Amino acid sequence: MTLSLTTATQMWGPAVFIVFFVGAIVIVIQAFHFLQFLWFYLFEPSSVRSYLHGPAPYALVTGATDGIGKAVAQELFAKGFNLIIHGRNEAKIQKVVEELKAQGRGDIRYFIADATKSGYNFDQLLEPFHDLHITIVIHNVGGNYMNEGKIDDYSAAELVELVNWNVTFHLLLTRALLPQLRTTAVHGPVIVEFVGSQVADGPMPSMVVYAATKAFLRILARGLNTEERFWGTPSGVRFAYLAVGGVSSAGNPLTVSATQPTAADFGKALVEKIGSSRWNYAPYLPHAIMGSVASWFSDSMVDRFVLGLTKQMHEDRQKKRLHS
Ligand SMILES: NC(=O)c1ccc[n+]([C@@H]2O[C@H](COP(=O)([O-])OP(=O)(O)OC[C@H]3O[C@@H](n4cnc5c(N)ncnc54)[C@H](OP(=O)(O)O)[C@@H]3O)[C@@H](O)[C@H]2O)c1
């Protein structure tokens, strides 16, 4: 190698040496990233049980009456966490509480709030839980109802509701919870996780605002991680952003496949990775592989792919309408 490199350098000058040198560095960095990826998904032990500290640890899950949120709540309850669950429909949430109680032992509390609405007093909403030892918060509530058209096809009120649903609710709930979480973090680890979407890495036309709200959550998680370490002694409260791909759920009844798991399977994967070493990751391996492959391409290539995909989706929707 040294000989051939020396000979090549003599023949073509220092340019070839620089190409070899930079190439070797790039290969080493990529190999390191690949090994980190393998370690994270295949070997890193789950840390979710380290959040079972204190006499009665609680996990708070928003949007927990169906889909991913319900699956996550079920999984955490089975692991021994008490629960505070959130929904918008009292009868439905009471049914979920009964279902959960039939499956195990533990305390389950709930609160009701329509996340699309503004004007809640979050301190008041959380008052019944102010003395509970909350160690895990999963901000799961959210979604998208803008599947057709451009942003100016929707009213200002509809856009505000979409932002409330995916951003403001999480932001204000986190703000109200933080003092209590910091107190809990004195006794052991505390984590707040935001359920995001891979759409944020390739915003599809007609999902633009939804994608932007998820990107907001990613920056929020990253910034709060540094903020909690900046003012005085680090508080010990950590934040994570979860890049979620397709999941077959009540709100998004996709055909189940290797890349589109059921909400139950996805919930299991999400809970296993709670509190893991990364702050920004896809909890489900096939989503992580898809995200990783997408990151090899330039933004313009991803955007071109996304345009084609959206066109196909709209055509399929149109055909379904014609046949029904
Ligand atoms: N499914 C996917 O393919 C996918 C992909 C990427 C990201 N995500 C994200 O994953 C999260 C959960 O999605 P999902 O597919 O599991 O949704 P889902 O099946 O529709 O379930 C959403 C949960 O949130 C509740 N909810 C909905 N709107 C609400 C509101 N305005 N106020 C209070 N609660 C409300 C629902 O209550 P009800 O039971 O009353 O409806 C339900 O408990 C969302 O943040 C979504 O953006 C999902």
Side-chain angles (χ1 to χ4, degrees):
M1 173 73 178
T2 321
L3 263 184
S4 59
L5 197 57
T6 315
T7 320
T9 308
Q10 280 164 356
M11 283 173 71
W12 291 300
V16 85
F17 174 77
I18 292 168
V19 169
F20 267 93
F21 186 68
V22 173
I25 289 176
V26 170
I27 289 169
V28 168
I29 291 173
Q30 290 307 324
F32 180 67
H33 284 319
F34 181 63
L35 290 176
Q36 274 188 322
F37 184 92
L38 287 184
W39 162 258
F40 184 76
Y41 286 101
L42 303 181
F43 302 110
E44 184 174 301
S46 172
S47 11
V48 63
R49 286 181 198 283
S50 65
Y51 294 84
L52 277 168
H53 55 81
Y58 279 77
L60 188 157
V61 185
T62 66
T65 51
D66 227 322
I68 296 171
K70 183 179 175 187
V72 167
Q74 279 171 327
E75 210 48 39
L76 286 168
F77 193 58
K79 290 209 181 298
F81 288 90
N82 299 292
L83 293 177
I84 302 167
I85 56 173
H86 154 260
R88 58 178 160 176
N89 176 329
E90 180 115 31
K92 191 165 177 181
I93 208 163
Q94 281 176 354
K95 213 165 144 244
V96 173
V97 170
E98 276 166 32
E99 261 178 60
L100 285 163
K101 283 195 167 158
Q103 285 163 20
R105 281 176 29 199
D107 185 34
I108 307 175
R109 318 230 181 149
Y110 68 83
F111 66 105
I112 302 289
D114 183 341
T116 62
K117 304 289 176 236
S118 322
Y120 284 111
N121 179 334
F122 284 81
D123 294 324
Q124 221 166 50
L125 267 185
L126 294 170
E127 171 55 28
F129 320 118
H130 79 274
D131 56 352
L132 300 182
H133 193 79
I134 302 170
T135 62
I136 294 176
V137 178
I138 308 291
H139 287 288
N140 163 75
V141 76
N144 181 43
Y145 48 67
M146 289 173 59
N147 290 314
E148 309 262 344
K150 303 177 284 293
I151 64 163
D152 47 322
D153 294 326
Y154 291 84
S155 69
E158 283 170 323
L159 293 185
V160 169
E161 288 200 346
L162 192 64
V163 174
N164 285 343
W165 194 17
N166 288 288
V167 163
T168 318
F169 192 77
H170 312 54
L171 177 66
L172 299 185
L173 193 63
T174 304
R175 178 192 167 277
L177 274 170
L178 256 173
Q180 184 177 345
L181 298 180
R182 291 190 191 113
T183 307
T184 305
V186 171
H187 306 280
V190 171
I191 188 131
V192 179
E193 301 202 338
F194 297 99
V195 174
S197 170
Q198 288 185 323
V199 169
D201 299 314
M204 298 168 88
S206 76
M207 281 202 183
V208 173
V209 180
Y210 171 70
T213 61
K214 296 298 193 184
F216 178 100
L217 295 179
R218 183 172 56 210
I219 304 299
L220 185 68
R222 183 174 179 176
L224 288 175
N225 270 325
T226 51
E227 192 163 84
E228 285 304 298
R229 292 198 306 242
F230 182 71
W231 302 102
T233 317
S235 75
V237 181
R238 279 181 58 215
F239 298 84
Y241 170 82
L242 312 181
V244 180
V247 175
S248 184
S249 66
N252 195 14
L254 301 169
T255 309
V256 174
S257 67
T259 53
Q260 296 178 167
T262 61
D265 285 344
F266 182 78
K268 279 194 183 85
L270 187 156
V271 168
E272 279 307 300
K273 284 270 162 233
I274 285 177
S276 54
S277 56
R278 295 186 178 186
W279 72 270
N280 175 10
Y281 61 94
Y284 186 66
L285 180 58
H287 292 167
I289 295 171
M290 284 158 55
S292 187
V293 170
S295 72
W296 300 341
F297 298 93
S298 67
D299 286 355
S300 63
M301 285 163 98
V302 171
D303 290 348
R304 239 177 296 148
F305 171 77
V306 157
L307 278 171
L309 190 70
T310 314
K311 198 161 171 259
Q312 187 63 50
M313 279 168 62
H314 281 238
E315 281 169 5
D316 290 349
R317 213 175 291 154
Q318 203 69 19
K319 272 188 214 150
K320 262 190 199 160
R321 268 193 214 128
L322 284 175
H323 289 297
S324 62

